[in-house]
Amino acid sequence: MSDVSLKSMDDVYPQSAGGEVRDYFQLLKPRVMSLVVFTSFVGLMLAPGTLHPFLGFVAILAIAVGAGASGALNMWYDADIDGQMQRTAARPIPRGRVSKDEALALGVVLSCFSVLVLGLATNWLAAGLLALTIGFYLFVYTMWLKRRTPQNIVIGGAAGSFPPMIGWAAVTGSVSLESVVLFLIIFLWTPPHFWALALYRCRDYSRVGVPMLPVVKGPDSTRTHILVYSFILVAFSLAPVALGFGGVAYLIMSGLLGAGFLYLAYLVFVHRVGVEADGHAKRLFLFSIFYLFALYLVLLLEAMVPGMMVPTGFEFKV
Amino acid sequence: MEEEDLKKRKKRSIAIGLMLVGFAILFYAITIIRLGGDVFNRPL
């Protein structure tokens, strides 16, 4: 970046005298953090073996802080476009509450602390996965893919998929097939989730030149992509049943939730113009958050509530 | 620096202080739990 562009950035977002504590907390993307906390907790509880409850708490805390740190680093790098997008204009840097340098410093410090604490409290495989997650989100998604390809959130979605795998690794010290399945459910969920958002925020992304799928390929192609990926997601969501860590309750819930997901994806596919089309895209976006939360919740309840886990009889015998 | 900024700075300083204290307690607790009774089992 040239000096000229650096100067212009400072003009747009003047160096603040320092914001409120809550402004720095906003840098950590608390809503994203809450889903990360939940999915990593499920990974931790599903994993075979035991972990001291306090160390389990520390592991979740470290994963949450690591996710928050990557959020701060994302806001640091994307400050130039955040201010021009309706969805992100109220973030602390565009509003001039926190300077870019402060966001960078916070992100780097919290990244180092979270990885260190997770390594000391559990094991260095889990810590390594957390470091990989932060690095992937910053370098691969934010810096490399986001502004270059419509596949940005397909590949970049891996960063948001790691938390249950980290939780699993914190207990077992290993990465097993079950944790890969937990990873893949979120990985396959990410594209239809974000493309639904991009459909009704298309103008935002177009204005700042982020090549989201609706901007590059158009809304119709995006609708087809959403429908196809939704089918793949719903089919793959049955994998826990096949591997035997999802029981009858999970089979029923994943079927019902999957039917709801496909129905909303179909409505998005069919309704293509006007406020109604935007409404369907928004409904799919919101439902997809509930879908992921509910799927993981059933897995968690089956693992924790005695007698709730009833095998389906559909497990593959290895 | 205006009074409003000074107030904000004080709050930030308190938050950073609390985080550092929390971090020290966290390290202490992790050490005790990971090492258990062995933490005291060393030649003096």
Side-chain angles (χ1 to χ4, degrees):
Chain A
M1 193 182 278
S2 70
D3 286 349
V4 175
S5 58
L6 278 172
K7 274 176 190 167
S8 65
M9 276 294 297
D10 286 346
D11 289 342
V12 177
Y13 307 120
Q15 297 291 303
S16 74
E20 305 263 0
V21 174
R22 67 170 176 268
D23 295 320
Y24 296 91
F25 185 66
Q26 286 302 319
L27 285 177
L28 309 183
K29 298 190 178 179
R31 272 187 298 181
V32 176
M33 227 157 75
S34 62
L35 202 58
V36 166
V37 165
F38 180 64
T39 55
S40 58
F41 179 68
V42 174
L44 194 135
M45 294 307 292
L46 255 57
T50 53
L51 184 66
H52 190 287
F54 183 77
L55 295 182
F57 165 75
V58 172
I60 300 294
L61 182 71
I63 296 168
V65 171
S70 56
L73 292 169
N74 171 269
M75 287 199 205
W76 159 72
Y77 189 80
D78 276 347
D80 58 335
I81 57 175
D82 278 353
Q84 299 174 58
M85 294 175 66
Q86 197 185 348
R87 188 173 74 90
T88 52
R91 285 178 174 174
I93 300 176
R95 281 171 62 211
R97 311 274 297 196
V98 175
S99 72
K100 279 189 74 182
D101 290 346
E102 285 176 308
L104 175 63
L106 185 73
V108 170
V109 168
L110 291 185
S111 296
C112 296
F113 272 48
S114 60
V115 171
L116 180 68
V117 167
L118 187 60
L120 290 172
T122 61
N123 59 70
W124 294 102
L125 175 69
L129 286 172
L130 181 61
L132 177 70
T133 304
I134 298 168
F136 195 91
Y137 190 64
L138 176 64
F139 298 113
V140 178
Y141 172 68
T142 305
M143 290 184 171
W144 180 31
L145 298 172
K146 185 174 177 179
R147 304 186 194 204
R148 281 185 175 79
T149 165
Q151 297 299 311
N152 48 14
I153 50 103
V154 179
I155 306 164
S161 312
F162 276 115
M165 189 183 266
I166 302 171
W168 184 285
V171 178
T172 63
S174 65
V175 174
S176 70
L177 197 54
E178 290 91 337
S179 68
V180 173
V181 166
L182 292 174
F183 169 93
L184 284 173
I185 288 175
I186 304 179
F187 185 72
L188 293 170
W189 165 89
T190 307
H193 168 74
F194 274 110
W195 285 333
L197 171 77
L199 267 181
Y200 67 89
R201 294 285 190 193
C202 188
R203 263 173 290 177
D204 250 6
Y205 288 111
S206 181
R207 191 182 311 128
V208 296
V210 172
M212 293 297 281
L213 199 61
V215 177
V216 177
K217 302 271 184 183
D220 287 352
S221 172
T222 306
R223 288 184 167 86
T224 309
H225 275 77
I226 287 175
L227 197 60
V228 171
Y229 271 78
S230 300
F231 270 110
I232 297 170
L233 167 66
V234 171
F236 189 80
S237 71
L238 298 172
V241 175
L243 286 178
F245 68 98
V248 171
Y250 178 81
L251 179 63
I252 293 169
M253 282 303 289
S254 62
L256 291 173
L257 290 164
F261 201 109
L262 288 176
Y263 177 65
L264 291 175
Y266 170 75
L267 289 179
V268 169
F269 183 74
V270 173
H271 298 278
R272 301 187 167 211
V273 281
V275 182
E276 198 184 4
D278 280 358
H280 286 304
K282 200 175 283 186
R283 263 190 289 282
L284 176 61
F285 173 75
L286 293 174
F287 180 79
S288 66
I289 297 170
F290 170 72
Y291 172 86
L292 187 66
F293 176 79
L295 271 191
Y296 269 69
L297 181 64
V298 180
L299 285 175
L300 179 68
L301 290 175
E302 283 191 331
M304 289 183 75
V305 179
M308 190 166 165
M309 175 65 187
V310 180
T312 59
F314 298 141
E315 305 88 15
F316 283 124
K317 303 285 187 290
V318 181
Chain B
M1 196 176 260
E2 292 182 18
E3 194 170 341
E4 185 67 21
D5 292 329
L6 286 170
K7 272 186 189 170
K8 285 184 192 170
R9 189 168 72 176
K10 190 177 177 185
K11 283 182 184 170
R12 288 199 303 273
S13 301
I14 291 170
I16 291 169
L18 288 174
M19 276 178 62
L20 286 174
V21 171
F23 192 67
I25 294 170
L26 204 65
F27 256 68
Y28 178 77
I30 290 169
T31 307
I32 297 298
I33 291 169
R34 293 283 309 223
L35 299 181
D38 291 341
V39 75
F40 299 112
N41 186 16
R42 59 192 171 90
L44 294 173

